[in-house]
Amino acid sequence: MPVAGLHVIILGAPGSGKGTQAARIAKRLGLRHLSTGDMLREAVARKTELGAEAESYMKGGLLVPDDLILGLIGEELKKDETRGWILDGFPRTLAQAEALERLLAGRGETIDRVLDIEVDPELIVKRLASRRVCPKCKAVYNLDTIKTKVRGTCDLCGEELVKRPDDEEETVRRRLRVYEEQTAPLIDFYRKRGGLVRVPGAGGIEEIFAEIIRVLK
Ligand code: AMP
């Protein structure tokens, strides 16, 4: 098993399964799971100043401005330098990727692996239409593929599940366009930089997880 202290980035379109896989990888390898989407949703729920600024972008399926995101992730990365991390949903623009390089270089740290989960956009629209999330413990389910024991209730904490407002079809299609325009160029950026591994994301969760663990070893 890879050592703790690993620095991993997971790329992939919204709905590619990167959040689900990132949570599993973090658990298996003892890494911190840093999801900018989760951090932002928490800021919105807690009605912080950042949450108020980010909310309208998120609802519209647009990216939150780079400076807000960099402030957020910069603080998190400072917190623990020994355990390692997996970044989920960050970086999402070239400017963010370049800022991350500078931040890590300043501390003598590097990125060990960049995973890119590839999924057909039409499969993503279908998947996100049936995604349900727990607003309390952040667990993610799917009406077709990750069913709960009691319909509509979180297996882990008993909270009532919700559909994310940005999982409505029109917003999903906008998020996919934003991904193609602003985030997909990162694949080339990391390919040139080295350490990029592409993983097919159309299969089952276990199968994809096994492949990721294989490539991380
Ligand atoms: P996610 O849960 O990763 O799909 O993120 C949900 C929403 O949060 C995105 O659609 C964006 O509006 C916002 N967001 C999350 N991470 C970032 C980021 N790195 N840069 C800009 N916006 C982000």
Side-chain angles (χ1 to χ4, degrees):
M1 206 42 53
V3 286
L6 208 61
H7 292 162
V8 182
I9 293 176
I10 187 160
L11 298 175
S16 60
K18 66 181 180 336
T20 302
Q21 294 296 341
R24 292 182 156 227
I25 297 163
K27 197 167 167 208
R28 172 72 69 89
L29 306 183
L31 307 175
R32 289 201 300 151
H33 176 196
L34 302 180
S35 156
T36 43
D38 281 349
M39 291 174 203
L40 290 168
R41 278 183 289 278
E42 198 178 320
V44 170
R46 286 175 37 220
K47 300 191 188 317
T48 65
E49 203 177 313
L50 167 72
E53 273 192 79
E55 191 171 14
S56 59
Y57 294 99
M58 295 171 75
K59 273 206 179 126
L62 300 173
L63 294 187
V64 172
D66 288 336
D67 55 335
L68 295 184
I69 297 291
L70 288 167
L72 190 69
I73 198 81
E75 282 305 307
E76 281 303 318
L77 287 174
K78 266 192 228 155
K79 281 186 192 162
D80 184 349
E81 285 156 13
T82 54
R83 226 174 111 198
W85 36 250
I86 177 158
L87 299 181
D88 161 15
F90 175 87
R92 248 179 163 103
T93 63
L94 278 175
Q96 291 179 15
E98 284 160 0
L100 177 64
E101 295 284 312
R102 287 193 296 274
L103 200 144
L104 293 179
R107 301 209 304 239
E109 294 178 3
T110 51
I111 297 159
D112 299 302
R113 276 277 186 281
V114 181
L115 303 168
D116 175 41
I117 308 204
E118 301 174 289
V119 187
D120 172 56
E122 285 312 311
L123 177 61
I124 286 177
V125 173
K126 188 169 166 275
R127 266 191 193 169
L128 293 189
S130 48
R131 171 159 76 178
R132 296 293 180 272
V133 297
C134 173
K136 194 168 163 202
C137 77
K138 314 285 179 263
V140 179
Y141 300 92
N142 188 291
L143 298 177
D144 303 322
T145 53
I146 320 173
K147 294 181 181 163
T148 48
K149 291 190 190 103
V150 179
R151 197 178 161 88
T153 304
C154 180
D155 284 350
L156 302 177
C157 73
E159 190 78 6
E160 193 177 328
L161 301 181
V162 297
K163 183 169 180 177
R164 274 172 48 174
D166 56 350
D167 279 349
E168 295 301 335
E169 180 169 342
E170 195 188 327
T171 313
V172 168
R173 292 200 184 272
R174 187 173 314 127
R175 287 164 66 204
L176 287 171
R177 279 200 301 277
V178 166
Y179 171 80
E180 274 309 317
E181 286 167 20
Q182 303 194 56
T183 309
L186 293 184
I187 296 169
D188 235 26
F189 175 89
Y190 286 116
R191 184 184 295 123
K192 287 185 187 130
R193 192 190 152 284
L196 179 78
V197 187
R198 307 193 84 170
V199 181
I205 291 172
E206 291 302 335
E207 189 189 335
I208 299 165
F209 181 59
E211 174 62 11
I212 290 175
I213 293 299
R214 194 185 67 74
V215 301
L216 284 179
K217 273 187 180 167

